[in-house]
Amino acid sequence: MSLTRRMQIAQTSELERFMETALKVAFASSDMVCVNQHFGSAKAFAIYAVNRDESQFVEVSQFGQLDQDGNEDKLAVKFQLLEGCAAVYCQAVGASAIKQLVSIGIQPVKVHEGSLIKDLITDLQAEMKAGPSSWLAKAINKNKAVDPSRFNEMADEEWQE
């Protein structure tokens, strides 16, 4: 199985700044409008950058014909493509794929067939604002850059024993 087509939005300084506060999220979709694909046999992924207030489409990748045949080797290109994503939304995902996704830091999220991508992004943003779930909090913290001045601030704080 191979990647047959990949379109990425050109990186601008504005998009790079946006990505500093955003999470990359993938959606298994054949029409780029709704989630309608099983992870293993997904014909395409739409990838968005999402933060609390905005979202931007950043990439679409398409694959050749895939079957739900239990052949794990076909998933390697998908894992590689999704590197850097915090989550992948799909209609279904097998147990082996779940283990592999979680091991590389990607949260699989099962949704009902036909769930609109724009609605899922809105729900994700609402969760970011309201207090994220454990997987989302972990993804947000992983994405944060370490602030080197934080140590100096802590050293200047008063300590009580």
Side-chain angles (χ1 to χ4, degrees), residues 32-72:
M32 305 303 124
V33 174
C34 63
V35 174
N36 58 5
Q37 300 282 291
H38 183 284
F39 177 79
S41 59
K43 294 179 178 139
F45 288 108
I47 300 176
Y48 285 78
V50 180
N51 70 15
R52 293 169 52 119
D53 302 310
E54 299 176 65
S55 66
Q56 291 188 18
F57 174 76
V58 293
E59 180 177 338
V60 63
S61 298
Q62 295 177 324
F63 305 94
Q65 180 63 34
L66 300 170
D67 297 319
Q68 296 176 22
D69 59 6
N71 179 1
E72 299 299 316

Side-chain angles (χ1 to χ4, degrees), residues 14-27:
E14 182 179 316
L15 182 58
E16 287 176 11
R17 278 193 302 278
F18 179 73
M19 291 300 296
E20 290 174 5
T21 62
L23 298 176
K24 280 176 52 179
V25 181
F27 300 90

